[in-house]
Amino acid sequence: MAKRALITGITGQDGSYLAELLLDKGYEVFGLVRRSSSENFERISAFQDRLTLLSGDLMDEVSLINVLRDSRPSEVYNLAAQSFVQTSWSQPVLTSETTALGVTRMLDAIRIVDPEIRFYQASSSEMFGRVRAIPQNETTEFYPRSPYGVAKVYGHWITVNYRESYQLHASSGILFNHESPRRGLEFVTRKVTHGVARIKLGIDKELFLGNLDAQRDWGFAGDYVKAMWAMLQRDAPDDFVIATGQTHSVRELCEVAFGAAGLDWQDHVKIDPAFLRPAEVDLLVGDPSKAQATLGWKCDVDFYALIEMMVAADLDALRS
């Protein structure tokens, strides 16, 4: 009998890659979607006929209990969240409700319906914020610098709490920035690659950005979802940093992306103070050695191949 998995946030970047991975492994895949939302199904449209989408909401525990009873999954991947850091400043309470308390509601629903369900929580490198150590690993102290980061810390610790209190097989992946052609346009990597494509095709002349000195550890989302799956196949639950271990600045991102289209970034990039955060996170770089040793996980796509892939995809999309 096929394994069953439920994915929250299935229409997002990670959800779509994870759904594809699980379908390829022979899973029956269920996705949680909000009935009221103008949900965008573009990322899963190529394989949507192989999925079962169920109506529910992380704000409503009763709906989660019903979805678990209907789908009877052996694995739940909680990827849904208000996931854009910038928005968390203007909508801090909503961010807390979904990104923090939503985790509690799902864990509690699992405890009630079937405590044997294995649970994956999407934790975030934004929890490290004002970093206490470089690089960051599973024991590095958290110091979040945004309402999003604070909410993710809550989600992370409530997962640990339910694991220890109710013996749930609940694991957290502390994922550093991971990108792809499916990344939302509000995120800086996709903003840059899409901007490059528009400039290359003569639609725009300039691209406005904030802090060019911010450094991030950027990997490919398609690689990172493999780590999520691997965590739930282990006998014991645990927490893992998933990262490349290498850092690049927004400036270097611009150099590579514009270079991929045969352009010089300095001719087109302008600084707009409106894109600067109230509290900036300066240097995030993860130490993935535990995941590499324990899960046998590795990055197949490096930073340069990733950005070139994204520029090529954006050029194709705008030309078609």
Side-chain angles (χ1 to χ4, degrees):
M1 194 169 128
K3 268 187 163 180
R4 295 176 157 214
L6 172 69
I7 303 172
T8 75
I10 195 167
T11 60
Q13 169 188 257
D14 292 9
S16 66
Y17 280 109
L18 179 62
E20 274 186 293
L21 177 74
L22 296 179
L23 288 169
D24 288 346
K25 290 183 181 295
Y27 279 68
E28 191 175 347
V29 179
F30 297 82
L32 183 78
V33 291
R34 294 195 309 272
R35 175 167 290 164
S36 60
S37 74
S38 53
E39 201 73 66
N40 183 351
F41 295 101
E42 185 183 344
R43 294 185 183 98
I44 57 170
S45 59
F47 48 89
Q48 191 174 336
D49 57 341
R50 298 166 63 198
L51 305 170
T52 303
L53 300 180
L54 300 171
S55 178
D57 198 314
L58 288 177
M59 306 280 233
D60 179 4
E61 187 173 334
V62 172
S63 76
L64 300 180
I65 289 170
N66 290 333
V67 164
L68 290 175
R69 284 178 174 155
D70 289 345
S71 57
R72 289 288 169 190
S74 57
E75 298 171 5
V76 170
Y77 296 85
N78 185 42
L79 311 185
Q82 190 299 101
S83 64
F84 187 44
V85 175
Q86 199 75 31
T87 299
S88 79
W89 294 104
S90 56
Q91 299 182 357
V93 176
L94 175 71
T95 300
S96 303
E97 281 286 353
T98 54
T99 308
L101 292 177
V103 187
T104 316
R105 295 185 190 105
M106 181 58 88
L107 284 164
D108 210 49
I110 288 170
R111 180 184 66 80
I112 290 165
V113 175
D114 179 6
E116 294 302 306
I117 292 171
R118 296 188 173 197
F119 176 78
Y120 171 82
Q121 167 58 13
S123 288
S124 167
S125 60
E126 289 285 333
M127 301 190 304
F128 296 119
R130 189 172 179 179
V131 299
R132 308 282 88 186
I134 297 170
Q136 295 91 51
N137 64 24
E138 292 79 8
T139 61
T140 304
E141 184 187 348
F142 298 139
Y143 195 137
R145 295 273 279 170
S146 66
Y148 170 77
V150 172
K152 278 291 186 185
V153 170
Y154 176 97
H156 181 83
W157 281 117
I158 200 70
T159 300
V160 172
N161 187 260
Y162 268 67
R163 176 167 78 213
E164 295 177 351
S165 303
Y166 302 111
Q167 288 69 57
L168 295 187
H169 193 298
S171 295
S172 276
I174 305 173
L175 270 57
F176 280 66
N177 295 62
H178 46 289
E179 319 297 315
S180 74
R182 299 179 192 174
R183 192 58 143 152
L185 285 169
E186 67 271 28
F187 292 89
V188 69
T189 45
R190 182 73 196 292
K191 182 179 176 180
V192 169
T193 63
H194 188 253
V196 165
R198 289 178 65 88
I199 290 167
K200 179 68 175 178
L201 297 177
I203 302 166
D204 290 339
K205 288 190 173 64
E206 295 175 329
L207 176 64
F208 293 93
L209 296 171
N211 181 9
L212 298 186
D213 296 317
Q215 297 187 49
R216 294 290 183 274
D217 182 329
W218 278 301
F220 173 50
D223 288 339
Y224 284 39
V225 297
K226 295 174 187 172
M228 301 177 185
W229 175 79
M231 286 177 216
L232 297 201
Q233 310 318 305
R234 298 182 70 246
D235 291 338
D238 205 348
D239 305 325
F240 294 91
V241 163
I242 306 299
T244 69
Q246 298 176 341
T247 183
H248 302 273
S249 67
V250 175
R251 185 176 279 102
E252 188 180 356
L253 163 65
C254 291
E255 286 174 20
V256 175
F258 279 91
L263 300 168
D264 183 343
W265 72 276
Q266 295 181 79
D267 295 338
H268 304 283
V269 172
K270 301 285 185 287
I271 304 300
D272 183 345
F275 294 121
L276 298 173
R277 293 182 188 175
E280 184 55 83
V281 172
D282 300 312
L283 177 60
L284 290 173
V285 55
D287 173 6
S289 50
K290 179 180 172 182
Q292 290 165 346
T294 311
L295 304 176
W297 178 81
K298 67 181 195 307
C299 282
D300 292 321
V301 179
D302 72 10
F303 172 75
Y304 303 98
L306 168 65
I307 301 307
E308 286 165 10
M309 174 207 303
M310 292 173 67
V311 171
D314 277 323
L315 281 166
D316 285 349
L318 283 172
R319 284 187 182 124
S320 61

